[in-house]
Amino acid sequence: MQELFKYLTEHFYVPLYLITWIIAIVRYRRYFDTPLKYLPMIIIYTFFTELLGVLIKYNNNFQFFSDGRYAWHNVIIYNVYQLVFFIFFFEIYRKVAQNQTIKKQIRYLTIVCAISYVVNAIVYNPLHYQMTYAHIVGSVIMIYILIFYFREKYLEEKALPLKFNLMFWLSSGLVIFYTLFPIISIIYLLKLDIGIQIYFRPLLLTSITLMYVLIIVGLLVGKRKAFR
């Protein structure tokens, strides 16, 4: 329990997931009949993924491998999580998109993302290695989709401003994180000096925090009629 408390203290963003989930449940009636109706599920999935990760790493009762050398390996749960996260949001943007061509592109890009994870898993054992190449592919696809989403919102004419649109705030948060995430992943692949890499962890944690803060803002100010 002491180790868990230490972990949560050092990883302050983990409780933020739980706070976001609580607010998402409280505000659920504002988006329950939209493509984001399963948003609380992906948020709480994120929270429990992080908790399971620390339990595997620090508690001997939670292990995937009997071999002591790999007892602390928890990377597989994050590999699976990231793929689920990508597919979840790609499907949301496919439903929200107005342009039929973009809808088809998102469907094909989702397949490309899934294939990248399969290939990465064949080349590097996902039980012991981060699927970094696949994460980069998924991140680039996410940014591509977000660019078209914001372009559609910029060109459309609506009575209610975007500041009341939950999708706008959520998308803004995703842009912040997935602009930085692939860059840090590439730096990880290049195996640059640890003195350089250490500066990127605070940036990554800051982007995670900003993403969920923006989601919370969207949940609080979002109006059902403004959703698009």
Side-chain angles (χ1 to χ4, degrees):
M1 184 59 68
Q2 185 177 357
E3 291 177 340
L4 178 59
F5 178 77
K6 180 180 179 182
Y7 174 86
L8 292 176
T9 302
E10 295 175 351
H11 300 75
F12 59 89
Y13 54 90
V14 176
L16 184 59
Y17 299 149
L18 185 59
I19 294 172
T20 307
W21 176 74
I22 293 172
I23 297 174
I25 293 297
V26 172
R27 295 289 186 174
Y28 189 64
R29 64 186 180 87
R30 296 192 178 190
Y31 61 93
F32 75 95
D33 58 346
T34 72
L36 283 178
K37 60 184 177 181
Y38 297 117
L39 179 62
M41 293 180 63
I42 198 71
I43 295 174
I44 201 64
Y45 175 37
T46 302
F47 175 73
F48 281 120
T49 295
E50 291 289 352
L51 280 187
L52 181 58
V54 68
L55 287 174
I56 293 173
K57 189 171 184 178
Y58 296 110
N59 193 318
N60 292 330
N61 294 321
F62 292 86
Q63 296 179 358
F64 287 146
F65 309 100
S66 57
D67 190 330
R69 293 174 299 172
Y70 308 120
W72 59 275
H73 282 202
N74 57 10
V75 69
I76 181 60
I77 63 173
Y78 296 106
N79 287 331
V80 173
Y81 164 78
Q82 194 59 69
L83 175 58
V84 172
F85 190 92
F86 281 137
I87 292 177
F88 175 82
F89 279 103
F90 292 168
E91 180 62 14
I92 286 176
Y93 284 103
R94 188 187 69 79
K95 293 178 179 179
V96 171
Q98 301 298 315
N99 188 295
Q100 293 301 316
T101 300
I102 298 301
K103 286 180 177 290
K104 291 181 181 179
Q105 287 186 15
I106 294 176
R107 184 180 292 112
Y108 295 141
L109 289 172
T110 301
I111 296 174
V112 170
C113 181
I115 291 175
S116 72
Y117 273 86
V118 172
V119 173
N120 202 152
I122 293 173
V123 178
Y124 297 99
N125 188 342
L127 295 175
H128 303 296
Y129 297 97
Q130 281 278 5
M131 301 178 73
T132 308
Y133 292 99
H135 295 341
I136 293 173
V137 171
S139 299
V140 172
I141 292 174
M142 178 73 82
I143 292 298
Y144 177 82
I145 293 173
L146 288 168
I147 288 173
F148 278 98
Y149 170 78
F150 283 115
R151 183 175 182 274
E152 274 195 352
K153 299 310 110 180
Y154 176 77
L155 294 176
E156 71 180 8
E157 296 181 0
K158 289 287 184 179
L160 291 175
L162 285 174
K163 66 180 181 179
F164 297 118
N165 179 12
L166 172 57
M167 276 298 298
F168 170 76
W169 290 99
L170 186 147
S171 300
S172 298
L174 290 174
V175 162
I176 291 175
F177 179 75
Y178 283 105
T179 297
L180 189 62
F181 182 59
I183 296 175
I184 294 178
S185 297
I186 292 173
I187 291 173
Y188 168 79
L189 288 176
L190 294 176
K191 297 181 180 179
L192 298 180
D193 184 81
I194 189 65
I196 297 176
Q197 294 186 35
I198 196 171
Y199 290 105
F200 287 93
R201 177 172 171 77
L203 288 176
L204 184 64
L205 296 183
T206 299
S207 68
I208 292 174
T209 303
L210 288 175
M211 178 173 70
Y212 278 88
V213 167
L214 289 174
I215 293 174
I216 289 174
V217 171
L219 290 167
L220 294 176
V221 305
K223 295 182 179 180
R224 175 63 189 87
K225 293 181 179 180
F227 185 92
R228 58 193 191 276

mmCIF file of all heavy atoms in Angstrom, residues 99-113:
data_model
loop_
_atom_site.group_PDB
_atom_site.id
_atom_site.type_symbol
_atom_site.label_atom_id
_atom_site.label_comp_id
_atom_site.label_asym_id
_atom_site.label_seq_id
_atom_site.Cartn_x
_atom_site.Cartn_y
_atom_site.Cartn_z
ATOM 1 N N ASN A 99 -17.924 14.594 -44.078
ATOM 2 C CA ASN A 99 -17.454 14.254 -45.416
ATOM 3 C C ASN A 99 -17.362 12.740 -45.584
ATOM 4 O O ASN A 99 -16.665 12.062 -44.821
ATOM 5 C CB ASN A 99 -16.078 14.908 -45.646
ATOM 6 C CG ASN A 99 -15.603 14.761 -47.076
ATOM 7 O OD1 ASN A 99 -15.347 13.663 -47.536
ATOM 8 N ND2 ASN A 99 -15.464 15.888 -47.765
ATOM 9 N N GLN A 100 -18.040 12.218 -46.584
ATOM 10 C CA GLN A 100 -18.071 10.770 -46.806
ATOM 11 C C GLN A 100 -16.696 10.225 -47.183
ATOM 12 O O GLN A 100 -16.349 9.093 -46.831
ATOM 13 C CB GLN A 100 -19.093 10.429 -47.893
ATOM 14 C CG GLN A 100 -20.533 10.698 -47.505
ATOM 15 C CD GLN A 100 -20.948 9.908 -46.274
ATOM 16 O OE1 GLN A 100 -20.645 8.721 -46.146
ATOM 17 N NE2 GLN A 100 -21.652 10.567 -45.358
ATOM 18 N N THR A 101 -15.917 11.012 -47.898
ATOM 19 C CA THR A 101 -14.564 10.579 -48.271
ATOM 20 C C THR A 101 -13.702 10.394 -47.039
ATOM 21 O O THR A 101 -12.950 9.419 -46.922
ATOM 22 C CB THR A 101 -13.910 11.600 -49.218
ATOM 23 O OG1 THR A 101 -14.707 11.729 -50.398
ATOM 24 C CG2 THR A 101 -12.505 11.152 -49.608
ATOM 25 N N ILE A 102 -13.819 11.337 -46.103
ATOM 26 C CA ILE A 102 -13.057 11.247 -44.857
ATOM 27 C C ILE A 102 -13.499 10.041 -44.047
ATOM 28 O O ILE A 102 -12.682 9.345 -43.434
ATOM 29 C CB ILE A 102 -13.210 12.536 -44.028
ATOM 30 C CG1 ILE A 102 -12.657 13.732 -44.793
ATOM 31 C CG2 ILE A 102 -12.508 12.398 -42.684
ATOM 32 C CD1 ILE A 102 -11.201 13.596 -45.168
ATOM 33 N N LYS A 103 -14.798 9.767 -44.041
ATOM 34 C CA LYS A 103 -15.313 8.591 -43.334
ATOM 35 C C LYS A 103 -14.656 7.314 -43.866
ATOM 36 O O LYS A 103 -14.239 6.439 -43.091
ATOM 37 C CB LYS A 103 -16.834 8.497 -43.497
ATOM 38 C CG LYS A 103 -17.638 9.496 -42.673
ATOM 39 C CD LYS A 103 -19.123 9.300 -42.915
ATOM 40 C CE LYS A 103 -19.977 10.212 -42.068
ATOM 41 N NZ LYS A 103 -19.945 9.849 -40.631
ATOM 42 N N LYS A 104 -14.565 7.205 -45.195
ATOM 43 C CA LYS A 104 -13.941 6.026 -45.797
ATOM 44 C C LYS A 104 -12.456 5.973 -45.474
ATOM 45 O O LYS A 104 -11.910 4.900 -45.186
ATOM 46 C CB LYS A 104 -14.148 6.056 -47.310
ATOM 47 C CG LYS A 104 -15.592 5.832 -47.747
ATOM 48 C CD LYS A 104 -15.713 5.851 -49.260
ATOM 49 C CE LYS A 104 -17.162 5.644 -49.693
ATOM 50 N NZ LYS A 104 -17.298 5.675 -51.176
ATOM 51 N N GLN A 105 -11.799 7.128 -45.515
ATOM 52 C CA GLN A 105 -10.377 7.171 -45.193
ATOM 53 C C GLN A 105 -10.114 6.704 -43.771
ATOM 54 O O GLN A 105 -9.169 5.947 -43.517
ATOM 55 C CB GLN A 105 -9.835 8.590 -45.386
ATOM 56 C CG GLN A 105 -9.678 9.012 -46.832
ATOM 57 C CD GLN A 105 -9.008 10.368 -46.955
ATOM 58 O OE1 GLN A 105 -8.420 10.877 -46.004
ATOM 59 N NE2 GLN A 105 -9.076 10.955 -48.144
ATOM 60 N N ILE A 106 -10.942 7.161 -42.849
ATOM 61 C CA ILE A 106 -10.769 6.765 -41.450
ATOM 62 C C ILE A 106 -10.941 5.254 -41.290
ATOM 63 O O ILE A 106 -10.204 4.603 -40.527
ATOM 64 C CB ILE A 106 -11.760 7.520 -40.541
ATOM 65 C CG1 ILE A 106 -11.433 9.015 -40.537
ATOM 66 C CG2 ILE A 106 -11.716 6.965 -39.111
ATOM 67 C CD1 ILE A 106 -12.410 9.864 -39.748
ATOM 68 N N ARG A 107 -11.888 4.688 -42.013
ATOM 69 C CA ARG A 107 -12.092 3.240 -41.945
ATOM 70 C C ARG A 107 -10.845 2.497 -42.422
ATOM 71 O O ARG A 107 -10.382 1.540 -41.785
ATOM 72 C CB ARG A 107 -13.302 2.842 -42.797
ATOM 73 C CG ARG A 107 -13.648 1.352 -42.700
ATOM 74 C CD ARG A 107 -14.843 0.981 -43.546
ATOM 75 N NE ARG A 107 -16.075 1.580 -43.031
ATOM 76 C CZ ARG A 107 -16.751 2.537 -43.656
ATOM 77 N NH1 ARG A 107 -16.298 3.028 -44.810
ATOM 78 N NH2 ARG A 107 -17.856 3.009 -43.143
ATOM 79 N N TYR A 108 -10.273 2.944 -43.536
ATOM 80 C CA TYR A 108 -9.067 2.303 -44.068
ATOM 81 C C TYR A 108 -7.864 2.535 -43.151
ATOM 82 O O TYR A 108 -7.040 1.635 -42.946
ATOM 83 C CB TYR A 108 -8.758 2.839 -45.469
ATOM 84 C CG TYR A 108 -9.814 2.483 -46.498
ATOM 85 C CD1 TYR A 108 -10.208 3.399 -47.476
ATOM 86 C CD2 TYR A 108 -10.416 1.227 -46.503
ATOM 87 C CE1 TYR A 108 -11.178 3.083 -48.418
ATOM 88 C CE2 TYR A 108 -11.391 0.894 -47.435
ATOM 89 C CZ TYR A 108 -11.775 1.830 -48.389
ATOM 90 O OH TYR A 108 -12.733 1.499 -49.311
ATOM 91 N N LEU A 109 -7.763 3.745 -42.604
ATOM 92 C CA LEU A 109 -6.647 4.062 -41.719
ATOM 93 C C LEU A 109 -6.713 3.268 -40.420
ATOM 94 O O LEU A 109 -5.676 2.933 -39.836
ATOM 95 C CB LEU A 109 -6.637 5.566 -41.415
ATOM 96 C CG LEU A 109 -6.224 6.471 -42.581
ATOM 97 C CD1 LEU A 109 -6.442 7.938 -42.223
ATOM 98 C CD2 LEU A 109 -4.775 6.227 -42.968
ATOM 99 N N THR A 110 -7.919 2.953 -39.973
ATOM 100 C CA THR A 110 -8.077 2.102 -38.792
ATOM 101 C C THR A 110 -7.498 0.718 -39.062
ATOM 102 O O THR A 110 -6.822 0.124 -38.205
ATOM 103 C CB THR A 110 -9.558 1.982 -38.401
ATOM 104 O OG1 THR A 110 -10.088 3.285 -38.125
ATOM 105 C CG2 THR A 110 -9.727 1.101 -37.171
ATOM 106 N N ILE A 111 -7.745 0.218 -40.268
ATOM 107 C CA ILE A 111 -7.190 -1.089 -40.661
ATOM 108 C C ILE A 111 -5.664 -1.016 -40.719
ATOM 109 O O ILE A 111 -4.967 -1.929 -40.261
ATOM 110 C CB ILE A 111 -7.766 -1.530 -42.021
ATOM 111 C CG1 ILE A 111 -9.279 -1.754 -41.902
ATOM 112 C CG2 ILE A 111 -7.084 -2.804 -42.505
ATOM 113 C CD1 ILE A 111 -9.968 -2.045 -43.218
ATOM 114 N N VAL A 112 -5.141 0.082 -41.282
ATOM 115 C CA VAL A 112 -3.697 0.270 -41.356
ATOM 116 C C VAL A 112 -3.089 0.275 -39.957
ATOM 117 O O VAL A 112 -2.049 -0.346 -39.708
ATOM 118 C CB VAL A 112 -3.354 1.593 -42.080
ATOM 119 C CG1 VAL A 112 -1.868 1.914 -41.938
ATOM 120 C CG2 VAL A 112 -3.742 1.511 -43.549
ATOM 121 N N CYS A 113 -3.753 0.958 -39.033
ATOM 122 C CA CYS A 113 -3.271 1.017 -37.653
ATOM 123 C C CYS A 113 -3.235 -0.375 -37.033
ATOM 124 O O CYS A 113 -2.240 -0.760 -36.397
ATOM 125 C CB CYS A 113 -4.169 1.941 -36.836
ATOM 126 S SG CYS A 113 -3.661 2.124 -35.109
#
